[in-house]
Amino acid sequence: MPDFAFLRRLGGNTVDRLWRLGVASRFFVAILLNSGTALRRYPLTFREIWFSGVLSLVIILVSGLFVGLVLGMQGYEILTRYGSDTALGVMVALSLLRELGPVIAGLLFASRAGSAIAAEIGLMKATEQLKAMDMMAVDPVARVVAPRFWGGVISMPFLAALFSCMGIFGGWLIGVVMIGVDEGVFWSQMQAAVDFRHDVLNGVIKSVVFGVAVSLIAVFEGYDSEPTAEGVSRAITRAVVTSALAILALDFVLTSFMFRESP
Amino acid sequence: MKRTTLDLWVGLFVTAGIAALLFLSLKVGGFSSAHMKETYSLSARFDNIGGLKVRGPVKSAGVVVGRVTDIRFDPETYEALVEMRIDARYRFPGDTFASIYTSGLLGDQYIGLEPGGDGKKLVTGDVIVKTQSAVVLEKLVSQFLFDRAAKGQDSK
């Protein structure tokens, strides 16, 4: 009789994943149902915007600048081979607005704010603060989870927009100030090629979707963590890894919807 | 209500975020599709549209006056039917000539409108009759080559 332990473990893991996905969906609905309280008691949400938005600003701005600088250099190096170095502004702006802005800002947001949210909620659970709230007839989903979720969702588009701005500034710094691409052409080509609805708005939609995904994964992993030191640390790791995968997979799906050439 | 420094930071953050979005939509985006408020639609039939794309520009005298909104194939006449929206500020005479040009050597293709002298103006839904197809580079090259080959045989 062969030992099917491997198959059994595989099946168990699959069922466990599906189970968690179902619980996460139910949790998402619970957050939405309880978010009335979070938005009415907006100081709670404000504190979370400060926590996940304002405190992520430095890393977002600095990374945006560096990404823009690199884009400027690489873009110039490639475009100048085809004699079209004036298209540098277009390349920098489009790649930031459509992809790099939302995606990298989302990844940074997941590792900066998502991990902190998961850790906070996980520790609250491990130290039985959530249970204590429940005892006092305070719904922890409304009091703790929903404000953090909405704080993340509101912060994310702003962070992505600031990231893109800093990136374009970085590209401008390299292209115009250091290399000497004509400034007027840099901006006018960019304005001619970037469309408000097709590029800017789709980028904002992407960043909102990533904000929802990262915030939901972070609060869920924290809330669902095992109430031990090891459980919390595992929850934080899972929050960051799952968010990163979710961002990249969602980005593929959204891009194929948004930027496919119409047949 | 009590003010905290936290509120100030959140306010600054939100203001910076909105400023960034405005910068992206106004300075970077240039609102290229938004400043055409009132438009009217025209269509034109072409034998060959080359690489013309939906949302491509419609220019007259080099100035963008509209956008291509739809490109279809007409199975009865075997022609391409191109729909475009033109800014309502610009009216063109009834005998306007529409041709497909390429901006630069390898650039995107666009529709160029050359106004005629007709007193009657085009209105919404009108079809531009006089059109000129896109120049297909392969055709030009092969024409040139065949021409040279024919000449070479003659001189023998």
Side-chain angles (χ1 to χ4, degrees), chain A residues 27-193:
Chain A
F27 192 62
F28 185 41
V29 175
I31 291 174
L32 291 184
L33 289 179
N34 282 306
S35 50
T37 331
L39 298 179
R40 246 195 328 275
R41 299 183 58 184
Y42 56 89
L44 289 177
T45 313
F46 262 51
R47 200 192 147 267
E48 296 314 321
I49 296 178
W50 178 76
F51 188 71
S52 50
V54 178
L55 293 186
S56 308
L57 264 182
V58 177
I59 186 171
I60 291 281
L61 292 181
V62 174
S63 321
L65 182 66
F66 280 118
V67 167
L69 293 174
V70 169
L71 269 179
M73 277 192 244
Q74 292 282 11
Y76 182 80
E77 206 265 324
I78 293 167
L79 288 173
T80 198
R81 285 188 208 170
Y82 303 100
S84 49
D85 49 326
T86 48
L88 183 67
V90 180
M91 203 207 88
V92 170
L94 282 184
S95 46
L96 277 165
L97 285 174
R98 288 180 171 187
E99 297 295 337
L100 293 178
V103 170
I104 299 187
L107 292 175
L108 292 171
F109 182 73
S111 41
R112 170 65 187 76
S115 60
I117 291 172
E120 207 183 0
I121 297 180
L123 264 177
M124 279 184 169
K125 190 179 183 191
T127 50
E128 301 200 317
Q129 293 180 43
L130 297 183
K131 227 175 241 169
M133 275 183 197
D134 226 3
M135 292 283 220
M136 294 187 285
V138 177
D139 186 359
V141 173
R143 176 66 178 77
V144 173
V145 173
R148 279 166 180 72
F149 174 77
W150 284 110
V153 172
I154 294 168
S155 305
M156 187 51 213
F158 293 142
L159 290 174
L162 285 165
F163 185 95
S164 298
C165 278
M166 280 311 273
I168 290 168
F169 173 67
W172 173 83
L173 218 56
I174 287 288
V176 175
V177 178
M178 285 182 64
I179 297 177
V181 176
D182 184 62
E183 167 134 36
V185 175
F186 183 86
W187 289 111
S188 68
Q189 285 228 4
M190 191 192 289
Q191 284 167 4

Side-chain angles (χ1 to χ4, degrees), chain B residues 44-65:
Chain B
R45 290 170 180 280
F46 292 95
D47 290 334
N48 191 336
I49 57 162
L52 189 72
K53 299 236 167 59
V54 174
R55 298 195 326 115
V58 179
K59 295 184 187 179
S60 186
V63 182
V64 177
V65 294

Side-chain angles (χ1 to χ4, degrees), chain A residues 46 165 191 194-196 261, chain B residues 23 25 27 29 32 53 55:
Chain A
F46 262 51
C165 278
Q191 284 167 4
V194 177
D195 184 66
F196 174 71
E261 283 282 312
Chain B
F23 170 78
S25 44
K27 180 85 180 163
S32 51
K53 299 236 167 59
R55 298 195 326 115

